[in-house]
Amino acid sequence: DFDEAARERGRRSYKVAGNIPYNLSGTILVDLARWRMLSAAVLMVQKEVGDRILTEPGKRNCGILSIFLQTYFIIHRVLKVRPGSFTPPPKVESVVLGFVPHAPGRGPEDRGAFLQFLKGCFSHRRKKLRNILGELLDVETAKDWDRLGELSGVDFGMRPEELSLESWFDLFAASRRVKGLR
């Protein structure tokens, strides 16, 4: 727990830099958003993971990591790293990404619940939101659908990767008000 380690040392913030194990990238990157005292991070990841993270919400390759990390961070590509930069050279290309937290108050406060909501929605990414939310939130009645649509402003005929970041915030807030997550 980096936050706890920083508190024990009397620090109010810290920075993280590293070449994280590629097989643990998703887990480590999700943890970045849980560390509230983090002021910046510079991390090397596999190029394909970096490309996915940088995909704008609403685009086809957008996914859980894109939405979740862009909710809480300003992310930019620092540099590309070719396999020949290492000995022995790996079989994949890498990219170094910079992460700077957004100002507090951006995105849902309950980051764990928001992440679970995203996982539920993206677990059937080729389905339309109406089908996904019907199962995830147990939305059955026309009244509940109307209320969810009114509160979120989201078109339930869309697929998860088609939503903008703000639409995700609105849909998450509306889902908690209408039914609550299972």
Side-chain angles (χ1 to χ4, degrees), residues 68-110:
F68 190 67
L69 293 173
Q70 289 181 38
T71 294
Y72 302 106
F73 295 100
I74 298 165
I75 308 167
H76 65 280
R77 185 184 327 263
V78 176
L79 61 104
K80 293 179 183 178
V81 183
R82 305 225 180 274
S85 300
F86 301 95
T87 304
K91 295 178 179 166
V92 297
E93 290 187 28
S94 302
V95 63
V96 176
L97 300 178
F99 298 82
V100 177
H102 280 290
R106 177 180 162 90
E109 180 63 29
D110 188 342

Side-chain angles (χ1 to χ4, degrees), residues 114-131:
F114 184 53
L115 179 62
Q116 292 303 56
F117 181 71
L118 291 173
K119 285 180 179 180
C121 289
F122 276 96
S123 65
H124 304 288
R125 80 182 288 141
R126 295 310 310 150
K127 284 187 177 183
K128 294 188 177 184
L129 286 170
R130 177 170 291 281
N131 296 326

Side-chain angles (χ1 to χ4, degrees), residues 15-66:
K15 297 176 182 171
V16 173
N19 177 7
I20 58 179
Y22 290 175
N23 62 328
L24 297 175
S25 294
T27 302
I28 292 170
L29 291 168
V30 163
D31 278 345
L32 280 182
R34 294 188 177 138
W35 301 332
R36 304 293 180 112
M37 296 170 63
L38 179 72
S39 64
V42 178
L43 300 171
M44 184 158 49
V45 297
Q46 188 171 336
K47 181 185 178 299
E48 290 78 10
V49 173
D51 290 345
R52 249 182 287 134
I53 290 167
L54 293 169
T55 300
E56 287 181 46
K59 303 288 184 186
R60 182 172 171 83
N61 289 331
C62 174
I64 296 167
L65 278 178
S66 313

